[in-house]
Amino acid sequence: RCRPVTSDLCEEPVRIQGALVCKRGCDSLQSLKKLCVCLTDRNVATPRDYYFALAHAVRDHLVGRWIRTQQHYYEKDPKRIYYLSLEFYMGRTLQNTMVNLGLQNACDEAIYQLGLDLEELEEIEEDAGLGNGGLGRLAACFLDSMATLGLAAYGYGIRYEFGIFNQKIVDGWQVEEADDWLRYGNPWEKARPEYMLPVHFYGRVDHTPEGVKWIDTQVVLAMPYDTPVPGYKNNTVNTMRLWSAKAPNDFNLQEFNVGDYIEAVLDRNLAENISRVLYPNDNFFEGKELRLKQEYFVVAATLQDIIRRFKSSKFGCRDPVRTCFETFPDKVAIQLNDTHPALAIPELMRILVDVEKVDWDKAWEITKRTCAYTNHTVLPEALERWPVSMFEKLLPRHLDIIYALNQRHLDHVAALYPGDIDRLRRMSVIEEGDCKRINMAHLCVIGSHAVNGVARIHSDIVKNSVFKDFRDLEPEKFQNKTNGITPRRWLLLCNPGLADVIAEKIGEGFITDLSQLKKLLNFVNNETFIRDVAKVKQENKLKFSAYLEEQYKVKINPSSMFDVQVKRIHEYKRQLLNCLHAITLYNRIRSDPSKSFVPRTIMIGGKAAPGYHMAKMIIKLITSIGEVVNSDPYVGDRLKVIFLENYRVSLAEKAIPAADLSQQISTAGTEASGTGNMKFMLNGALTIGTMDGANVEMAEEAGEENLFIFGMRVEDVEALDRRGYNAQEYYDRLPELRQAIDQISSGFFSPRDPGCFRDIVNMLMYHDRFKVFADYEAYIKCQGQVDQLFVDPREWTKKVIRNIACSGKFSSDRTITEYAREIWGVEPSATQISRSSCPANNPSKASGSLQK
């Protein structure tokens, strides 16, 4: 990267050894040299040594701002936002921090002068893969936006020792490897043992004259690790606090008493396993006790922290500490990212009633006014329904509280709808049957003052279908908050070439106000701009081609259409529809090799949950198609099929800027929103997709004629369900579909194991919930329209520009502004926190405690 050195470090720049520094010494080059000397002799220093040196130099610029931000919140005592999530899919931190602090140019220059390559150092950093996919990455984007908007916000989650597994492809099959992301240490986190907290499990409930007590519990300690979250060039640095499980020193003390000291020490692992590993399921509920422990662990530790901070934030308060909880909802907002942190509701009730001795009805009012719930899926298999027997053993007091809450809730419903027993059954938090279960979504709805979906079509389904009875009861509670992505990571960081081309035309205001991209509509017919946008895309494709050739040893045609579908592997996302198109294209080329075809490189990437057999079969099918297609001399470079191994945030940052076509082809009514669709749109790819999730609003913003929309709408899917979906009809009627299915079935793509894909064919023919065949014909036809446009680069690029110009709505800044105003009751602040007392430029003075 050749960037001009700019004076973005401070107000008094001077040149020292050719690098731009400031008189106060806030200089990346000097910090780097000092750190490199401290770490090791340059003659034996490894690239990892240099990465850590750079990370610590950049971190020095964060610490002072971080301390000052927390001091500012302590002094001003604003309402604080707590975003509770079991997943934060952060990716890498170094480059994002440099971008948000405006340090990238200075670091570039400093690293260059040391004879190093910044991109090579950035590649050394491990992804913080503490999430499965969309839900976890959304949480990460939201943290960035909350800091950029100056909100007093905290992300709370679990510091998993092992994040989402590393995916290896062996003989075409997915093999999982543990993600030991902390092996070399994490320079971005700070352990805070002084805020370690106890979390209780098991035990029994004792009703005493003084009130209810939860006794004879097992204790696990929650150790917090804080990671700074910088806003974009506003001196705000918020905190993500992740909890790690530690066994107390007296854990299993009875084992010591019988003399088995070694066994007792080894048993400490049982407690510490709580934060050992992220459950690798996306849109699927697996009712394991360890997972329930994780969910309570994060909630119990976080609520203690929230209440401690509420009590000690005494600005403007006469009492030395707050003891009255009347104002709690005015100072605290808790956002539940799906039902995973739903236990916050009964846990807050337990603390208020049992510990703080608040009256039950007052405690319930406080809890409801404090909590809000975001729903992320309508798939029934994803909804959390915990067995009552598991709660009885693990969290007996919380079970009592849930029963009591449910009884009051059902009494209220019964009073409004007398005699409607079926309605009571549908709306109960407790599901009766052979195995009584707790419906966590129902608990969230009754315990929150706001419930939102994540795209307009999804929110409509939530209101009119999933939670219809609850909507009838409290219609004002239900809202929509269409998801968004942070333009800092998903444009400025991953696609600096495009960001520069845009900034030349409309200035840099779009970085914090993405709606300004609308100004690009004035340049749709500007030949220079069309050429510049196309040139950036081609450069990105060349760079990604080189990466793919190095990684997969496949020669890529960089002038081919880069057709990309990257997301978790799931039947509802319909990677199989993409496979059928790839086979159809292959058959067309084979049947007439002399004919002219638009060259395509089809790239599919994503991880399958380890226990999800069909998803793993889909990966095997993709890799098998690739083996046949890529080695066929008749096809040459007109068609390639590549599976992108180990898809993750850092690979997305490479793939998305290089894509021409974005595949968003889920069955209408199944994808809550999607955010990959927004990333592709912002980075100059055109979308082929169904009217599902946020695709609907993307088509609305850019005009349906600027996307390739095909297939059934939600009402068509519902009509087909009523009529009865029969895959055989499509198989009999469509010769190209029949040929593709016969090839899969006969072993054409698996000659060494002809029956390999029997399960896929049986599913598609006899029990396909997601109706792949029903959309096949429309999809193939729509792909033909894609080909027609791609051969006219000028018209293609004009559509690209229109899409980029209309992507402003999909900034997470807009989403968070809506949450702030309409759910949390706070106003975003454009105020820059003063750096007057900020010791950022003198790291030796930045060792003070981060306020609370």
Side-chain angles (χ1 to χ4, degrees):
R1 281 171 241 180
C2 293
R3 293 197 194 86
V5 180
T6 57
S7 56
D8 53 8
L9 279 178
C10 72
E11 62 278 4
E12 294 183 274
V14 294
R15 280 197 178 275
I16 299 177
Q17 299 181 7
L20 198 73
V21 305
C22 88
K23 288 176 183 172
R24 295 200 301 264
C26 57
D27 147 46
S28 296
L29 177 59
Q30 298 306 319
S31 300
L32 275 172
K33 284 185 172 175
K34 186 169 64 182
L35 280 160
C36 291
V37 169
C38 290
L39 284 168
T40 183
D41 185 330
R42 278 200 67 179
N43 295 314
V44 294
T46 65
R48 180 164 277 103
D49 291 325
Y50 284 113
Y51 159 70
F52 273 98
L54 176 58
H56 286 109
V58 171
R59 193 183 67 177
D60 279 348
H61 291 274
L62 269 177
V63 172
R65 292 174 172 90
W66 198 6
I67 293 169
R68 182 68 192 107
T69 300
Q70 303 312 312
Q71 286 173 342
H72 177 78
Y73 294 156
Y74 191 66
E75 290 159 8
K76 300 296 182 192
D77 193 26
K79 184 172 185 177
R80 287 167 162 86
I81 314 304
Y82 296 99
Y83 197 83
L84 271 63
S85 181
L86 268 283
E87 302 183 19
F88 286 96
Y89 202 170
M90 302 298 285
R92 292 171 175 161
T93 297
L94 173 61
Q95 195 182 354
N96 188 72
T97 304
M98 292 191 298
V99 165
N100 279 13
L101 294 189
L103 288 173
Q104 206 165 9
N105 293 341
C107 289
D108 236 344
E109 176 74 8
I111 290 295
Y112 174 76
Q113 291 207 12
L114 287 168
L116 301 166
D117 183 283
L118 184 56
E119 283 193 45
E120 284 178 17
L121 295 189
E122 288 165 352
E123 285 296 313
I124 289 166
E125 183 176 0
E126 299 278 352
D127 277 48
L130 307 186
N132 276 284
L135 177 145
R137 184 53 237 175
L138 183 80
C141 283
F142 279 5
L143 291 185
D144 180 271
S145 286
M146 288 188 284
T148 297
L149 292 168
L151 297 175
Y154 304 76
Y156 273 95
I158 294 178
R159 180 184 180 263
Y160 300 105
E161 193 177 320
F162 296 93
I164 186 65
F165 60 85
N166 284 317
Q167 180 193 58
K168 292 274 185 278
I169 301 298
V170 179
D171 295 327
W173 296 96
Q174 170 179 293
V175 175
E176 300 88 24
E177 286 185 357
D179 168 40
D180 194 4
W181 73 289
L182 293 168
R183 179 187 298 144
Y184 300 105
N186 175 9
W188 305 105
E189 69 181 8
K190 173 78 177 78
R192 308 303 301 279
E194 66 273 26
Y195 292 115
M196 190 142 58
L197 295 166
V199 175
H200 298 261
F201 294 99
Y202 304 107
R204 60 190 177 84
V205 178
D206 190 17
H207 295 267
T208 72
E210 294 81 45
V212 182
K213 293 197 169 132
W214 182 19
I215 59 173
D216 299 337
T217 57
Q218 284 186 22
V219 175
V220 176
L221 298 177
M223 162 87 91
Y225 286 79
D226 288 357
T227 299
V229 180
Y232 183 72
K233 293 187 179 178
N234 65 348
N235 295 332
T236 294
V237 180
N238 284 342
T239 302
M240 175 176 70
R241 177 163 285 183
L242 303 181
W243 301 101
S244 182
K246 300 284 286 181
N249 286 331
D250 60 355
F251 188 76
N252 271 5
L253 193 64
Q254 64 277 14
E255 300 251 6
F256 283 80
N257 295 337
V258 296
D260 201 343
Y261 164 73
I262 298 294
E263 198 59 38
V265 172
L266 294 181
D267 277 355
R268 292 170 63 86
N269 278 327
L270 298 174
E272 295 174 0
N273 279 342
I274 290 174
S275 59
R276 193 79 69 203
V277 62
L278 167 75
Y279 272 85
N281 299 314
D282 191 66
N283 278 299
F284 182 77
F285 170 61
E286 188 178 10
K288 293 282 198 291
E289 184 177 302
L290 179 61
R291 172 65 172 191
L292 185 57
K293 278 185 176 176
Q294 288 182 342
E295 293 186 356
Y296 180 64
F297 175 74
V298 66
V299 155
T302 298
L303 276 167
Q304 289 179 74
D305 220 31
I306 289 171
I307 288 168
R308 173 191 56 76
R309 196 178 285 116
F310 168 75
K311 285 182 171 183
S312 65
S313 291
K314 56 185 180 294
F315 185 81
C317 197
R318 289 186 178 180
D319 300 325
V321 290
R322 286 197 183 102
T323 51
C324 174
F325 280 84
E326 287 273 357
T327 61
F328 191 75
D330 302 321
K331 288 297 177 185
V332 172
I334 295 173
Q335 190 69 38
L336 307 175
N337 194 26
D338 215 331
T339 56
H340 314 144
L343 286 165
I345 292 165
E347 173 66 3
L348 183 53
M349 283 295 288
R350 185 189 70 81
I351 294 169
L352 292 175
V353 173
D354 294 358
V355 180
E356 302 293 343
K357 306 301 181 189
V358 177
D359 168 75
W360 180 281
D361 290 335
K362 173 53 69 176
W364 185 231
E365 182 200 332
I366 290 167
T367 299
K368 284 179 71 171
R369 285 179 57 208
T370 301
C371 296
Y373 158 55
T374 301
N375 174 275
H376 280 278
T377 183
V378 297
L379 296 181
E381 64 267 33
L383 297 177
E384 291 195 297
R385 298 158 61 248
W386 290 103
V388 164
S389 56
M390 196 182 286
F391 258 77
E392 214 160 22
K393 181 176 74 161
L394 194 69
L395 300 167
R397 177 58 180 142
H398 297 77
L399 181 61
D400 285 354
I401 290 168
I402 290 168
Y403 273 137
L405 293 174
N406 190 47
Q407 189 58 57
R408 285 167 169 78
H409 160 62
L410 293 181
D411 289 347
H412 177 56
V413 175
L416 292 171
Y417 301 94
D420 194 342
I421 305 301
D422 197 49
R423 183 180 293 267
L424 292 178
R425 180 191 56 75
R426 293 196 309 267
M427 295 184 74
S428 177
V429 174
I430 308 295
E431 296 178 355
E432 302 292 341
D434 293 342
C435 173
K436 280 170 76 168
R437 291 178 177 273
I438 301 171
N439 186 313
M440 301 304 272
H442 289 186
L443 178 62
C444 284
V445 173
I446 69 167
S448 299
H449 69 276
V451 176
N452 72 280
V454 289
R456 193 173 62 232
I457 184 176
H458 169 237
S459 296
D460 288 344
I461 292 168
V462 162
K463 283 187 293 191
N464 301 325
S465 174
V466 184
F467 298 135
K468 181 182 183 303
D469 293 323
F470 295 90
R471 195 276 314 266
D472 292 345
L473 198 66
E474 299 177 286
E476 71 289 344
K477 186 180 274 192
F478 291 85
Q479 304 187 16
N480 173 57
K481 296 286 170 279
T482 299
N483 282 344
I485 58 172
T486 169
R488 272 71 64 182
R489 185 177 291 268
W490 297 113
L491 180 55
L492 210 56
L493 181 154
C494 73
N495 204 342
L498 181 59
D500 285 347
V501 165
I502 293 169
E504 281 172 23
K505 282 285 181 273
I506 65 169
E508 294 185 1
F510 70 91
I511 298 167
T512 50
D513 177 11
L514 206 62
S515 66
Q516 291 188 25
L517 290 179
K518 272 272 192 274
K519 297 174 186 174
L520 293 177
L521 289 173
N522 298 324
F523 302 99
V524 168
N525 295 303
N526 182 301
E527 296 301 329
T528 307
F529 189 59
I530 292 169
R531 189 184 65 243
D532 288 346
V533 169
K535 183 167 176 276
V536 166
K537 179 62 73 178
Q538 197 55 37
E539 286 168 354
N540 291 339
K541 289 173 72 175
L542 284 164
K543 188 174 179 181
F544 193 51
S545 297
Y547 174 82
L548 290 178
E549 284 176 37
E550 182 193 328
Q551 292 292 309
Y552 304 109
K553 310 294 182 261
V554 178
K555 186 82 176 143
I556 307 293
N557 174 6
S559 63
S560 65
M561 183 197 305
F562 281 18
D563 172 350
V564 184
Q565 186 182 21
V566 282
K567 49 187 78 244
R568 285 298 288 255
I569 309 295
H570 201 296
E571 288 161 86
Y572 88 85
K573 294 177 186 285
R574 298 203 297 190
Q575 284 90 356
L576 285 172
L577 188 56
N578 197 349
C579 288
L580 291 174
H581 175 245
I583 295 170
T584 302
L585 275 185
Y586 173 70
N587 289 334
R588 287 179 179 179
I589 294 170
R590 286 283 311 192
S591 67
D592 190 359
S594 60
K595 191 178 170 187
S596 176
F597 289 90
V598 177
R600 271 193 200 233
T601 303
I602 297 174
M603 305 176 203
I604 305 176
K607 293 174 181 177
Y612 189 175
H613 169 69
M614 190 56 67
K616 288 186 143 181
M617 289 305 308
I618 291 168
I619 290 174
K620 176 61 174 172
L621 178 61
I622 297 163
T623 58
S624 300
I625 293 168
E627 276 181 37
V628 171
V629 170
N630 300 348
S631 60
D632 191 324
Y634 286 96
V635 174
D637 66 359
R638 288 180 288 186
L639 181 63
K640 291 277 184 268
V641 177
I642 294 169
F643 186 81
L644 298 175
E645 183 179 86
N646 202 32
Y647 182 64
R648 58 202 184 280
V649 174
S650 57
L651 184 52
E653 290 164 6
K654 297 177 176 70
I656 291 170
D660 291 306
L661 187 67
S662 158
Q663 298 237 20
Q664 310 296 335
I665 57 176
S666 52
T667 311
T670 61
E671 187 74 87
S673 168
T675 48
N677 45 6
M678 304 169 187
K679 291 160 195 167
F680 282 105
M681 184 186 194
L682 181 59
N683 280 276
L686 298 186
T687 301
I688 183 167
T690 51
M691 277 298 203
D692 197 24
N695 296 357
V696 176
E697 289 160 81
M698 286 163 53
E700 191 177 276
E701 292 295 302
E704 205 172 312
E705 69 281 4
N706 290 307
L707 284 78
F708 298 99
I709 298 294
F710 73 93
M712 296 180 289
R713 299 339 200 219
V714 169
E715 53 273 21
D716 300 321
V717 174
E718 290 169 350
L720 185 54
D721 276 329
R722 286 192 296 271
R723 199 165 68 245
Y725 170 65
N726 182 2
Q728 188 74 41
E729 290 175 14
Y730 302 94
Y731 174 86
D732 292 339
R733 184 168 61 80
L734 303 169
E736 288 187 310
L737 173 62
R738 185 165 61 249
Q739 181 186 7
I741 293 298
D742 289 349
Q743 285 170 314
I744 295 169
S745 181
S746 67
F748 181 87
F749 296 106
S750 54
R752 290 189 295 278
D753 182 6
C756 181
F757 300 117
R758 187 183 301 115
D759 289 350
I760 288 182
V761 173
N762 284 341
M763 182 274 291
L764 287 172
M765 291 296 295
Y766 305 115
H767 46 92
D768 177 12
R769 292 165 58 201
F770 303 106
K771 307 173 179 62
V772 169
F773 290 4
D775 274 340
Y776 170 83
E777 190 175 18
Y779 179 58
I780 299 297
K781 184 181 175 188
C782 194
Q783 286 282 18
Q785 294 165 8
V786 173
D787 281 341
Q788 283 175 18
L789 188 66
F790 192 74
V791 296
D792 186 345
R794 185 172 178 277
E795 286 305 310
W796 179 278
T797 306
K798 284 169 70 172
K799 261 191 171 46
V800 164
I801 293 167
R802 287 191 192 99
N803 271 266
I804 296 169
C806 296
S807 63
K809 174 180 179 176
F810 305 106
S811 168
S812 48
D813 297 345
R814 187 267 317 153
T815 312
I816 288 298
T817 298
E818 290 180 5
Y819 274 97
R821 289 175 177 158
E822 297 164 26
I823 295 180
W824 303 330
V826 295
E827 191 63 29
S829 166
T831 309
Q832 285 227 355
I833 291 176
S834 164
R835 291 180 61 193
S836 57
S837 59
C838 171
N841 298 320
N842 192 347
S844 65
K845 292 183 182 176
S847 57
S849 171
L850 292 166
Q851 282 284 356
K852 308 285 186 282

